[in-house]
């Protein structure tokens, strides 16, 4: 299947991430119309940072234009399609005719990211697509086998019942004939006839008894084989597929369409199993009734049916207990007095008349000690006092949807009002490391009360906070638990030391899941060295990381932990810079020395964007320019945080600084960030006022215009005399003061310079 076909089948957040790849720089329509052609080209053979590869890039660009032209000819009879294709052709010419290497870069990013997203969906749906298909086929085959076995045994039972009835009739006749012959009530000339008849009946009885014996022995053997196959099938579904789904829910926070589709498949298997077990149970009970009412010694001697029926009932009860699952987990960091939600599903809801009993679900929160007691004693009776907090709206009846066959309970307005903390915790533990779990329990009946089931399930560990400032530390506890805890562990045991390779994998996944793009190997290498405090020349691949290092100890000479620093950068990306991060415009985790080394190799006016070393949740711009002596020098802009970027967005701040020309390695700033520049409002507001705009200004010689560099592909885009419109910008005119905007308005002379001039003279520029 072609990559583009798979990309169009992405779901939820993965689909949105794919859509964000495309825009003015590469319209998604071009990707769609030329999907096969694009995927057939050798884009990876060209290095967009190597100017000697430009002829090859130009040949690809020209071939793309020819492919578009051929499509226009193909769709000449379709006016709208032709019009759209012609517009795309014109757009692509204007974008890349002077810079075909940039086209190669954009297409490479799109194809690589698409492939990563497709792989992630396949990995999330199942650890391996081939393995998943194999398992599904295996389960389906086992289901069909058990159905065939069950139907065969039901047929055998019907034949056995008929044969047993025939035996009973002939047995009664034999007894009657024997009594008549013994009492002498038969005429002498008829005695021989009666004896012949009795002999014939006795032969039929013996034959029926022999057939019944063989049938019963065969049924017992088939029953045992069928139960063995049912047990294997139930293990595959419960211990295999359902456990795998729960593991993915823990690692990947599944709440999208792929998770629901997977759970729907598991529900179909649960329902098939429940129906099969119920049929087998009914068959076992019928055989036991037949045995108990028979006067045939061979049947009276068979006592396996009762034991087999009990075993089937136990399997059915286990299946029903496991079918009670958390479809949507509650948040793993819960703030008191805040609303939160969770969804419970019963995976056999449409079978065995479970929905007719209208089960009610009760939620409570329990601590680690209470969770351990439930693991030690699974049959423990739970009362309303078995709790560590007070939850509002914690009881709700399950609802059945006949269209989907889903029986579930949506807790949409739960609220934790009070929590009881552990008073005997260790001295090293803090509030944000104390873990709880939400316990959901219910009771229901099947088949009109023939079986009563009591079951419960627990959420993933949760941390309770009372203030948002506790969020990062609480997230650290959850991150470590979700990433490194083992399946079926004792609550809530988690290793304190983990190999760096696993930590790197977990950090990469965590960042990807929350921002839409993962971390590069360079990012991870930098993070590992910062976390463990090792020199660049040391090999960290075999080192280990402790939870103390990551979550508790402050970084050297810093007032925050590694996790706080890492988490606040992630939060900055999520809240203000997600588009730029997904498109690869931010280098992210890179130390100053590395930034300095790479920038010294490129032309003046080149900049890159990295996360601050010294401030948690700050993004810094580093650029190369010439100093007063005419030599290259690296400059570091003071970091911008969430508050700064809420005042003026990131792209507009870069626009203000016209000495920043190229995004590393050689991408024109306006080409890259132009789509994100804010449009200027020139109309008068409804209240009669005009809007003002906050601008970024940097005094100093290091901000001089660097576009005299002949390597610039389009100097005219940046060298504007005062008052000249910038064709790449939504703003009207550029002033000679380092990119500050002077709106085109006629203002009265208010004498401000005369009044405030002396004050301006005393102002000093901020430190750099």
């Amino acid at each position: 299947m072609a990559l583009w076909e798979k990309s169009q089948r992405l779901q939820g957040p993965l689909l949105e991430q794919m859509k964000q790849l495309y825009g003015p720089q590469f319209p998604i329509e071009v990707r769609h119309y030329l999907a096969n052609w694009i995927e057939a080209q050798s884009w990876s053979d060209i290095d967009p940072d190597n100017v000697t590869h430009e002829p090859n890039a130009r040949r690809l660009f020209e071939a793309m234009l020819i492919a578009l032209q051929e499509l226009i000819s193909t769709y000449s009879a379709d006016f709208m399609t032709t019009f759209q294709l012609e517009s795309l052709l014109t757009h692509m010419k204007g974008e890349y005719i002077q810079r075909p290497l940039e086209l190669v870069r954009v297409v490479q990013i799109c194809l690589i990211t698409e492939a990563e997203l497709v792989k992630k969906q396949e990995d999330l749906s199942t650890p391996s697509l081939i393995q998943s298909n194999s398992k599904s086929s295996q389960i389906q085959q086992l289901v069909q086998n058990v159905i065939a076995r069950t139907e065969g045994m039901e047929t055998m039972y019907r034949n056995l019942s008929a044969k047993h009835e025939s035996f009973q009739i002939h047995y009664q006749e034999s007894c009657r004939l024997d009594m008549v012959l013994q009492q002498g009530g038969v005429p002498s000339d008829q005695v021989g006839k009666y004896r012949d008849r009795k002999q014939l009946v006795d032969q039929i009885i013996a034959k029926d008894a022999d057939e019944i014996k063989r049938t019963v022995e065969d049924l017992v053997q088939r029953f045992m084989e069928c139960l063995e196959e049912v047990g294997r099938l139930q293990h595959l579904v419960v211990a295999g597929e359902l456990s795998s789904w729960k593991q993915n829910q823990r690692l990947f926070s599944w709440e999208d369409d792929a998770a629901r589709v997977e759970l729907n498949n598991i529900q179909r298997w649960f329902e098939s199993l429940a129906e099969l077990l119920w049929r087998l149970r009914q068959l076992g009970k019928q055989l036991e009734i037949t045995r108990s009412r028979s006067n045939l010694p061979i049947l009276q001697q068979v006592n396996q049916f009762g034991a087999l029926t009990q075993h089937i009932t136990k399997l059915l009860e286990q299946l029903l207990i496991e079918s009670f699952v958390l479809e949507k987990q509650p948040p793993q960091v819960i703030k008191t007095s805040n609303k939160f939600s969770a969804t419970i599903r019963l995976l056999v809801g449409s079978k065995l008349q479970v929905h007719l009993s209208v089960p009610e679900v009760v939620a409570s929160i329990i601590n680690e000690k209470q969770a351990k007691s439930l693991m030690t004693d699974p049959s423990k009776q739970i009362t309303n006092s078995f709790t560590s907090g007070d939850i509002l709206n914690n009881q709700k009846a399950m609802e059945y949807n006949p269209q989907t066959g889903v029986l579930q309970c949506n807790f949409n307005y739960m609220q934790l009002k009070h929590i009881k903390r552990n008073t005997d915790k260790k001295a090293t533990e803090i509030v944000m490391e104390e873990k709880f779990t939400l316990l959901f329990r219910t009771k229901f009946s099947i088949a009109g009360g023939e079986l009563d089931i009591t079951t419960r399930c627990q959420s993933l560990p949760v941390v309770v906070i009372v203030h948002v400032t506790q969020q990062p530390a609480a997230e650290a506890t959850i991150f470590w638990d979700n990433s490194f805890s083992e399946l079926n562990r004792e609550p809530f045991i988690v290793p304190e030391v983990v190999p760096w390779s696993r930590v790197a994998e977990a950090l990469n996944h965590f960042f990807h899941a929350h921002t839409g793009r993962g971390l590069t190997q360079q990012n991870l290498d930098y993070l590992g060295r910062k976390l463990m405090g090792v020199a660049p020349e040391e090999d960290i691949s075999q080192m280990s990381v402790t939870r103390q290092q990551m979550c508790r100890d402050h970084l050297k000479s810093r007032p925050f932990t590694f996790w706080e620093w890492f988490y606040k950068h992630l939060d900055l990306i999520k809240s203000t810079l997600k588009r730029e991060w997904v498109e690869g415009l931010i280098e992210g985790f890179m130390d100053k020395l590395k930034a300095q080394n790479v920038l010294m190799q490129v032309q003046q006016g080149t900049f890159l964007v990295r996360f601050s070393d010294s401030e948690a949740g700050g993004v810094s711009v580093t650029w190369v320019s010439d100093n007063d002596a005419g030599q290259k020098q690296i400059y570091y802009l003071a970091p911008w945080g969430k508050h700064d970027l809420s005042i003026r967005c990131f792209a507009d701040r870069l626009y203000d600084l016209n000495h920043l020309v190229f995004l590393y390695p050689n991408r024109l700033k306006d080409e890259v960030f132009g789509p994100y520049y804010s449009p200027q409002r020139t109309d008068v507001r409804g209240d009669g006022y005009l809007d003002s705009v906050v601008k970024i200004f940097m005094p100093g010689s290091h901000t001089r215009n660097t576009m005299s560099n002949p390597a610039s592909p389009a100097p005219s885009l940046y060298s504007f005399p005062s008052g000249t419109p910038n064709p790449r910008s939504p703003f009207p005119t550029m002033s000679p003061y380092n990119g500050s905007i002077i709106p085109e308005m006629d203002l009265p002379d208010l004498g401000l310079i005369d009044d405030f001039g002396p004050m301006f003279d005393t102002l000093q520029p901020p430190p750099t």
Side-chain angles (χ1 to χ4, degrees):
M1 186 184 297
L3 175 61
W4 181 240
E5 187 176 349
K6 294 180 180 179
S7 298
Q8 294 176 84
R9 297 183 180 184
L10 293 171
Q11 298 175 340
L14 297 180
L15 178 61
E16 293 305 314
Q17 291 173 33
M18 188 273 287
K19 290 178 180 178
Q20 291 176 10
L21 289 173
Y22 298 97
Q25 80 282 2
F26 190 45
I28 197 170
E29 295 84 355
V30 174
R31 176 70 176 98
H32 179 73
Y33 283 117
L34 297 182
N36 293 333
W37 182 89
I38 289 173
E39 293 175 32
Q41 309 310 308
S42 301
W43 300 96
S44 59
D45 293 343
I46 301 175
D47 181 359
D49 296 324
N50 190 336
V51 293
T52 63
H53 287 191
E54 183 167 342
N56 294 336
R58 185 167 299 283
R59 280 193 290 271
L60 266 181
F61 170 66
E62 292 171 352
M64 177 180 282
L65 297 183
I66 293 172
L68 282 171
Q69 197 70 259
E70 291 174 350
L71 276 177
I72 292 172
S73 301
T74 303
Y75 290 98
S76 58
D78 187 335
F79 173 77
M80 288 306 298
T81 303
T82 302
F83 177 79
Q84 187 179 31
L85 288 169
E86 288 175 344
S87 299
L88 292 172
L89 179 63
T90 303
H91 176 80
M92 296 301 288
K93 282 182 179 179
E95 281 286 323
Y96 298 111
I97 195 167
Q98 297 296 331
R99 49 196 194 101
L101 283 172
E102 187 61 24
L103 171 66
V104 173
R105 183 195 310 279
V106 171
V107 175
Q108 285 177 349
I109 291 174
C110 290
L111 294 178
I112 291 172
T113 307
E114 275 185 32
E116 289 176 351
L117 294 174
V118 167
K119 184 178 185 303
K120 181 179 180 184
Q121 176 152 300
E122 291 173 349
D123 290 344
L124 290 179
S125 299
T126 52
S128 165
L129 188 60
I130 296 176
Q131 183 181 9
S132 172
N133 289 337
S134 174
K135 281 186 177 180
S136 297
S137 300
Q138 183 182 4
I139 290 173
Q140 193 58 39
Q141 186 61 50
L142 278 172
V143 169
Q144 295 302 320
N145 290 347
V146 174
I147 289 175
R149 284 179 177 273
T150 304
E151 290 175 347
M153 288 191 296
E154 289 172 341
T155 301
M156 289 178 67
Y157 170 71
R158 287 191 292 270
N159 294 336
L160 176 66
S161 296
K163 186 63 65 176
H164 184 259
E165 290 174 359
S166 172
F167 172 86
Q168 292 285 72
I169 292 172
H170 288 103
Y171 181 78
Q172 292 297 327
E173 184 179 0
S174 176
C175 291
R176 182 181 62 81
L177 290 172
D178 187 57
M179 183 180 298
V180 169
L181 289 172
Q182 288 181 3
Q183 292 177 352
V186 180
S188 57
D189 59 338
Q190 298 291 321
V191 171
K193 183 178 179 181
Y194 269 77
R195 286 176 178 171
D196 291 342
R197 174 63 183 169
K198 184 177 185 307
Q199 184 178 5
L200 177 62
V201 170
D202 287 345
Q203 289 175 351
I204 294 174
I205 289 173
K207 182 181 178 182
D208 286 348
D210 187 58
E211 289 184 7
I212 289 173
K213 177 183 178 181
R214 289 199 307 270
T215 301
V216 169
E217 291 174 347
D218 193 13
L219 261 175
V220 171
Q221 182 63 30
R222 290 186 180 220
F223 227 115
M224 295 175 66
E225 291 174 355
C226 187
L227 283 183
E228 184 179 342
E229 201 159 10
V230 168
R232 187 162 63 252
L233 173 60
Q234 187 159 325
H235 179 79
L236 278 174
V237 173
V238 176
E241 298 302 304
L242 183 60
S243 293
S244 176
W245 183 87
K246 290 180 178 179
Q247 176 78 340
N248 286 332
Q249 187 186 51
R250 176 175 69 89
L251 292 176
F252 306 121
S253 302
W254 267 17
E255 292 181 8
D256 56 10
D257 293 337
R260 282 188 289 274
V261 169
E262 187 70 15
L263 192 59
N264 290 340
N265 291 335
I266 295 172
Q267 174 164 326
R268 283 193 288 272
W269 293 329
F270 262 80
E271 290 174 341
S272 296
L273 265 171
E275 286 186 312
L276 283 169
L277 287 170
W278 185 256
R279 287 172 65 178
L280 288 170
R281 184 173 183 270
Q282 295 302 101
L283 179 59
K285 290 174 66 177
Q286 290 168 345
L287 284 166
E288 178 61 21
I289 291 172
T290 300
R291 184 199 70 80
S292 63
R293 292 179 178 177
S294 174
N295 54 7
L296 186 63
I298 182 60
L299 280 178
Q300 293 176 350
Q301 293 171 6
V302 176
N303 56 6
Q304 290 101 321
F305 291 128
L308 290 173
T309 302
Q310 291 178 2
H311 183 59
I312 294 169
T313 302
K314 185 177 180 180
L315 286 176
L316 180 59
E317 289 176 342
Q318 290 174 348
L319 184 75
L320 295 173
I321 288 171
E322 293 290 346
S323 73
F324 189 64
V325 299
L326 258 168
E327 180 176 359
K328 177 187 175 185
Q329 290 279 343
Q332 289 189 260
V333 177
I334 297 177
K335 183 177 178 295
T336 54
S337 300
N338 276 13
K339 288 190 301 184
F340 63 93
S341 62
T343 300
I344 296 289
R345 189 197 285 202
L346 200 58
L347 297 178
V348 293
S350 65
K351 304 299 178 182
L352 307 183
Q353 302 176 352
V354 173
H355 61 283
L356 298 181
S357 64
V358 193
E360 183 178 70
V361 183
V362 179
S364 58
I365 188 167
I366 60 175
N367 60 29
E368 182 174 335
K369 183 178 180 181
Q370 291 169 322
K372 286 180 179 179
S373 70
L374 291 180
M375 188 175 192
T376 305
D377 182 12
S379 60
K380 181 181 179 68
Q381 295 295 316
I382 300 174
T383 63
N384 291 335
S385 62
F386 190 77
T387 183
S388 291
D390 301 324
I391 300 178
L392 293 180
N393 304 315
N394 68 327
Q395 297 186 33
K396 195 168 184 182
M398 302 192 82
E399 299 176 355
Y400 178 67
N401 186 328
Q403 280 72 38
T404 61
V406 172
L407 180 64
Q408 64 182 190
C409 179
N410 293 302
F411 288 93
N412 293 323
Y413 301 101
M414 286 192 291
Q415 189 179 75
L416 181 61
K417 298 300 293 181
H418 171 69
I419 191 70
K420 299 174 185 176
R421 298 286 184 184
N422 182 13
T423 56
D424 58 350
K425 59 178 179 289
K426 300 175 184 176
T428 56
E429 290 181 340
I430 59 176
V431 168
M432 285 75 77
E433 292 181 356
E434 186 177 1
K435 287 176 273 190
F436 298 85
T437 182
L438 266 69
L439 176 68
F440 298 86
R441 63 186 193 274
T442 190
K443 296 179 181 178
F444 60 90
S445 301
I446 62 173
E450 190 166 338
L451 273 182
D452 293 324
I453 303 296
T454 299
T455 184
R456 58 179 179 252
C457 64
Q458 295 178 25
S459 72
L460 295 173
V462 301
V463 175
V464 178
I465 62 174
V466 297
H467 197 276
V468 291
T469 56
Q470 298 172 321
Q471 182 88 19
E475 291 283 2
T477 300
I478 295 303
F479 167 81
W480 193 271
D481 193 280
N482 286 351
S483 301
F484 310 123
S485 61
E486 301 295 333
L487 283 175
N488 303 318
R489 49 89 183 262
E490 179 183 342
F492 295 107
I493 302 300
V494 64
E496 289 291 323
V497 182
V498 177
W500 162 245
S501 57
R502 289 188 63 193
V503 175
E505 181 183 357
L507 289 173
N508 179 46
H509 167 72
F510 188 79
F511 216 85
H512 194 297
H514 286 82
T515 67
R517 180 167 76 87
L519 303 172
T520 65
Q521 188 57 47
Q522 177 180 282
N523 294 151
L524 292 170
D525 187 66
Y526 166 67
L527 287 173
R529 297 182 188 284
K530 187 175 185 69
L531 172 58
M532 292 179 277
V534 300
E537 62 273 9
E538 293 188 58
D539 180 16
I540 64 173
S541 60
Q542 302 303 316
M543 294 185 178
S544 295
V545 176
T546 67
R547 185 154 68 120
Q548 183 78 23
Q549 281 177 294
M550 173 174 278
C551 307
R552 300 170 183 155
D553 293 343
H554 282 186
L555 291 170
K556 185 178 180 180
S557 303
R558 303 297 184 207
F560 42 74
T561 67
F562 172 87
W563 177 263
E564 289 171 331
W565 175 80
F566 174 83
Y567 182 81
K568 288 186 178 179
H569 287 317
L570 179 144
D571 187 53
L572 178 70
I573 293 294
K574 282 173 55 179
S575 60
T576 58
L577 295 172
K578 190 169 184 178
R579 295 178 306 180
E580 292 87 343
W581 173 256
V582 170
E583 290 194 12
L585 308 182
I586 298 174
E587 295 291 333
F589 296 106
M590 174 188 284
D591 63 25
K592 281 189 175 183
L593 181 60
K594 176 68 175 178
Q596 177 177 325
N597 290 339
V598 299
L599 287 175
M600 289 298 288
Q601 307 301 317
V602 295
Q603 58 192 315
Q604 298 175 24
T606 302
F607 69 98
L608 57 80
V609 185
R610 48 182 286 275
F611 296 137
S612 171
D613 279 327
S614 58
E615 292 188 19
V619 65
S620 178
V621 176
T622 305
W623 75 98
V624 60
S625 181
D626 57 342
N627 56 24
D628 293 336
Q631 298 176 332
K632 279 187 177 182
Q633 184 170 337
I634 303 300
Y635 297 93
Y636 304 92
L637 189 63
W640 295 326
K642 285 174 65 174
H643 178 69
D644 301 309
L645 299 179
S646 68
I647 296 173
R648 184 157 178 79
C649 76
F650 184 68
D652 289 348
R653 286 171 176 263
L654 295 179
Y655 173 80
D656 294 341
L657 304 175
N658 67 346
H659 58 283
L660 304 180
V661 182
F662 301 103
L663 178 66
Y664 176 81
N666 60 357
R667 306 170 69 184
L668 285 169
K669 177 182 71 175
D670 279 0
E671 295 289 346
V672 174
F673 292 98
Y676 304 135
Y677 292 156
S678 300
Q680 183 195 25
R681 288 191 56 176
T682 57
D683 56 322
V684 178
R685 299 188 331 196
D687 55 7
Y689 288 98
L690 291 174
D691 281 327
S692 60
V693 179
V694 176
K695 306 298 293 183
I696 302 300
F697 171 74
M698 287 183 56
S701 60
H702 51 271
T703 63
R704 66 175 53 121
N705 195 305
T706 59
M707 286 309 298
S708 58
N709 191 325
S712 170
S716 61
L717 296 183
Y718 299 91
S719 300
F720 306 116
S722 179
T724 302
N726 178 352
R728 302 297 300 180
S729 168
F731 298 109
T733 59
M734 297 292 294
S735 82
Y737 300 103
N738 299 300
S740 299
I741 299 302
I742 300 180
E744 293 181 315
M745 296 184 293
D746 293 327
L747 299 176
D749 184 3
L750 302 178
L752 294 179
I753 299 300
D754 294 337
D755 293 340
F756 295 100
M759 185 184 299
F760 295 154
D761 293 339
T762 63
L763 293 177
Q764 297 296 323
T768 60

